[in-house]
Amino acid sequence: MAVKKIGSQTIKLLNPPSIISAGSIVGPKEGDGPLAQYFDKIVQDDLLGEDSWEMAESALVKEAANIALGKVNLTLDDMEYMFGGDLLNQIMSTSFAARDMKVPFFGLYGACSNFTESLSLASMIVDGGYADQVITTTSSHFSSAERQYRFPLESGNQRPLTSQWTVTGAGATIISSVGEGPYITYVTTGKVIDFGIKDAANMGAAMAPAAVDTIRAHFTDTGFKPEDYDLIITGDLGIIGHEIAMELLQKEGYNMSKVFKDCGVEVFDNERQDTHSGGSGCGCSAVVSCGYLYKELQAKKLNKILIVSTGALLSSTSSLQGESIPSIAHAVTIENKLN
Amino acid sequence: MAVKKIGSQTIKLLNPPSIISAGSIVGPKEGDGPLAQYFDKIVQDDLLGEDSWEMAESALVKEAANIALGKVNLTLDDMEYMFGGDLLNQIMSTSFAARDMKVPFFGLYGACSNFTESLSLASMIVDGGYADQVITTTSSHFSSAERQYRFPLESGNQRPLTSQWTVTGAGATIISSVGEGPYITYVTTGKVIDFGIKDAANMGAAMAPAAVDTIRAHFTDTGFKPEDYDLIITGDLGIIGHEIAMELLQKEGYNMSKVFKDCGVEVFDNERQDTHSGGSGCGCSAVVSCGYLYKELQAKKLNKILIVSTGALLSSTSSLQGESIPSIAHAVTIENKLN
């Protein structure tokens, strides 16, 4: 048995890498939301001067990377690998950003689980001594996602109350072998879970069982309990998915009530901003983590958190073919102090 | 500097993992080609009894995994991680296979570079002690790719002479910390390269500069020369891309003439099977590697090879928007003996 493996799905990092910097950039709606003060940059033009929503999203990726690098006086030349992904077909916005960034590149696809999928792989590569400094990027864009997965924006379709609003934004982290935290200490890798939900306008319900499966595995493997964390936050279950996940975990004996949140619930003010079930998209957990959570960790208002980004692995083709929605969630523990 | 890193893009694996098994399954056209004898399974019904090409491709992934596992009397329960990807939007065939396989899953997207992208990450995770046994999968399907990237099959479009034929097939490998080879010894990770080619029917030309960039980096980082290898084989440059890559490497002073091949050139008999510039698709380098190359390594007819899978990171959206084709190539060294 590999020595770093604990339980069946979790790695304990023996040389925990530091997240030495994080950068976040969001669009106008996110910048008008309750977490506005935590984002590094809010753009008012969500086309960012580009000709298409896809290339605008690509610009978000590059800018998030620039922000993260600038904070620690590093450049792309200092980055040994880039781990990145997004929601678009062939991860278009990330691929085109990687073209300009010129860093050895591992493209990932985990739908909205991308933020923690990239942190998982990046932290193992740094912990294992394969690199000293790597960059991760994750993005989504309301307009590129909407027209790919749902309807042309111009048709002004009515959105069901279960639907979520794809976050326009990107987050980037710099993971380093040298640093003073926050440290990535545990990585729990999810399995694909499918409870048979077919409604692509209710992705929170589809993803909740995957989040529960990974959180349960994390607790089982590590022996941690909910109260060992200051915060356990899922990616983008939204209001409906969050309630389902809370209830499912309660049934398994985990009282999450004091520590359990969801990035999709936090990122918008649902009363005022009318997003229905909350935010979604890869960018959701990326900007909430790189903006809000990272700054709360730095301010020591949070000291040990579990981020569980959640991905719905549907495609518009699989939906048209009547398939249900396979989902996945990956968890990483981030702490200010090493024991 | 991380100790395992040599040069700017290459890792020397200090505990080289073994590829203890490989499984390959192909469709009828591949099974009628020059490498037929090397494939583990040839199906005559390329729908594999499924209702769609996408789910047929998913069935190929699962069957390749079953074949690889069966050869060494292992089951999916023995696999600690799965690294997999394909060409489809949201890597649909891999995601749906992973749903049934129930192994902790890292979804990848590197277009046709997926085979070596997955070997790169899997070998670092095993070398680093994070797992003892992992599985990689890579697939493509002519019919699912054709209708996604090009035209409905029913329209019977004429294909330009520069075009390539997407391989229907899947390859799976079992990477283990314990074994007697063939060993993965070096991993060279590519950057995204774009020389401005916009013709989606000439992907060999788009990918050739990426292959050259990664091969050059590999030689520079390791000090190896072409003659140190029994074979250096690219993924799916096809006939046109192979000639371009050979010429570009010649200009840089590397005489590749005795060792340089391309999986896309080898997989079909172009005279007889009329594929124009040869084979392509993620499945191309996967089935040639898991079928032909793995068996030649086992038979000691090949002892040290460099596989350089090549990916064109275009999407149908990026093509419609007039963007050029960013490409990437990842290289792994596989050898029978450790020095």
Side-chain angles (χ1 to χ4, degrees), chain B residues 48-64:
Chain B
L48 288 94
E50 300 288 338
D51 290 331
S52 70
W53 303 118
E54 291 76 18
M55 294 309 279
E57 187 179 332
S58 199
L60 290 174
V61 173
K62 289 182 276 188
E63 185 58 15

Side-chain angles (χ1 to χ4, degrees), chain B residues 21-324:
Chain B
S21 184
S24 58
I25 177 171
V26 297
K29 192 176 180 86
E30 295 71 22
D32 184 39
L35 302 181
Q37 61 174 304
Y38 296 100
F39 299 126
D40 294 309
K41 188 166 178 179
I42 298 168
V43 294
Q44 293 307 322
D45 168 20
D46 63 357
L47 254 180
L48 288 94
E50 300 288 338
D51 290 331
S52 70
W53 303 118
E54 291 76 18
M55 294 309 279
E57 187 179 332
S58 199
L60 290 174
V61 173
K62 289 182 276 188
E63 185 58 15
N66 283 340
I67 293 167
L69 289 163
K71 287 184 186 179
V72 283
N73 291 315
L74 292 172
T75 69
L76 286 168
D77 288 340
D78 300 310
M79 298 296 105
E80 295 168 75
Y81 295 103
M82 169 178 171
F83 292 85
D86 59 69
L87 288 176
L88 298 181
N89 298 343
Q90 291 73 53
I91 57 169
M92 175 177 163
S93 63
T94 305
S95 298
F96 278 78
R99 175 179 70 174
D100 293 340
M101 291 166 70
K102 302 189 197 319
V103 176
F105 173 58
F106 288 114
L108 308 179
Y109 187 77
C112 304
S113 73
N114 188 80
F115 180 68
T116 47
E117 181 180 1
S118 62
L119 283 191
S120 298
L121 288 167
S123 60
M124 284 193 267
I125 264 50
V126 172
D127 173 89
Y130 302 100
D132 286 320
Q133 282 174 331
V134 307
I135 188 164
T136 75
T137 69
T138 301
S139 67
S140 58
H141 193 298
F142 175 78
S143 301
S144 64
E146 205 65 15
R147 71 172 172 185
Q148 176 182 285
Y149 283 105
R150 296 176 194 96
F151 302 100
L153 291 171
E154 295 82 350
S155 69
N157 273 69
Q158 193 169 9
R159 304 168 60 249
L161 288 171
T162 52
S163 69
Q164 294 171 242
W165 191 278
T166 304
V167 163
T168 297
T173 69
I174 316 290
I175 312 291
S176 173
S177 61
V178 179
E180 299 184 349
Y183 302 98
I184 301 176
T185 52
Y186 294 88
V187 169
T188 301
T189 305
K191 301 177 182 180
V192 178
I193 303 291
D194 189 336
F195 271 32
I197 303 284
K198 292 189 175 185
D199 181 359
N202 189 2
M203 294 206 288
M207 293 189 290
V212 169
D213 193 73
T214 298
I215 292 169
R216 183 206 304 116
H218 181 78
F219 287 151
T220 306
D221 290 349
T222 61
F224 290 141
K225 301 182 191 74
E227 53 268 31
D228 290 322
Y229 282 100
D230 296 333
L231 177 68
I232 295 173
I233 189 162
T234 46
D236 56 343
L237 299 182
I239 295 165
I240 294 168
H242 179 66
E243 282 173 17
I244 296 171
M246 177 86 89
E247 192 178 318
L248 291 173
L249 286 163
Q250 187 74 46
K251 277 190 187 166
E252 302 203 15
Y254 297 109
N255 181 358
M256 304 286 286
S257 57
K258 290 186 183 155
V259 295
F260 199 38
K261 289 188 178 178
D262 179 73
C263 297
V265 176
E266 301 300 315
V267 72
F268 294 120
D269 178 339
N270 200 42
E271 290 289 310
R272 185 171 56 82
Q273 294 186 293
D274 192 26
T275 55
H276 298 345
S277 192
S280 68
C282 293
C284 182
S285 65
V287 301
V288 171
S289 299
C290 294
Y292 174 54
L293 299 175
Y294 189 73
K295 286 170 187 170
E296 293 290 275
L297 282 160
Q298 287 188 308
K300 315 292 182 201
K301 292 182 185 170
L302 292 171
N303 287 302
K304 180 172 180 177
I305 66 174
L306 185 70
I307 306 178
V308 192
S309 300
T310 38
L313 301 168
L314 82 172
S315 76
S316 48
T317 305
S318 70
S319 293
L320 286 171
Q321 292 178 357
E323 292 290 338
S324 54

Side-chain angles (χ1 to χ4, degrees), chain A residues 24-203:
Chain A
S24 58
I25 177 170
V26 297
K29 192 177 178 88
E30 297 71 22
D32 184 39
L35 302 181
Q37 61 175 303
Y38 295 100
F39 299 127
D40 294 308
K41 189 167 177 179
I42 298 167
V43 294
Q44 293 308 323
D45 168 20
D46 65 356
L47 254 180
L48 289 94
E50 299 287 338
D51 291 331
S52 70
W53 304 117
E54 291 76 17
M55 293 309 279
E57 186 179 333
S58 199
L60 290 173
V61 174
K62 288 182 276 187
E63 185 59 17
N66 282 339
I67 293 167
L69 289 164
K71 287 183 186 179
V72 283
N73 290 315
L74 292 172
T75 70
L76 287 168
D77 287 341
D78 299 311
M79 298 296 105
E80 295 169 74
Y81 295 103
M82 168 178 172
F83 291 85
D86 59 70
L87 288 175
L88 299 181
N89 298 343
Q90 290 76 52
I91 57 168
M92 176 177 164
S93 63
T94 306
S95 297
F96 278 79
R99 176 178 70 174
D100 293 340
M101 291 166 71
K102 301 187 194 331
V103 175
F105 172 59
F106 288 114
L108 309 179
Y109 188 78
C112 304
S113 73
N114 187 81
F115 180 68
T116 47
E117 180 181 0
S118 63
L119 282 190
S120 298
L121 289 168
S123 60
M124 284 193 266
I125 264 50
V126 171
D127 173 89
Y130 301 101
D132 288 318
Q133 282 173 332
V134 308
I135 187 163
T136 76
T137 69
T138 301
S139 66
S140 58
H141 194 299
F142 175 78
S143 302
S144 65
E146 205 65 15
R147 72 172 173 183
Q148 176 182 287
Y149 283 105
R150 298 175 192 98
F151 301 100
L153 291 171
E154 294 82 350
S155 69
N157 274 70
Q158 195 169 9
R159 305 167 62 248
L161 287 171
T162 52
S163 68
Q164 295 171 244
W165 191 278
T166 304
V167 162
T168 297
T173 70
I174 315 289
I175 313 291
S176 173
S177 61
V178 180
E180 299 184 348
Y183 303 97
I184 301 177
T185 52
Y186 294 88
V187 169
T188 301
T189 305
K191 301 176 182 179
V192 178
I193 303 291
D194 189 336
F195 272 32
I197 304 282
K198 292 189 175 185
D199 181 359
N202 190 0
M203 295 207 286

Side-chain angles (χ1 to χ4, degrees), chain A residues 295-306:
Chain A
K295 285 170 188 171
E296 293 290 275
L297 283 160
Q298 286 188 309
K300 316 293 181 200
K301 293 183 185 170
L302 294 172
N303 287 303
K304 182 174 180 177
I305 67 175
L306 185 70

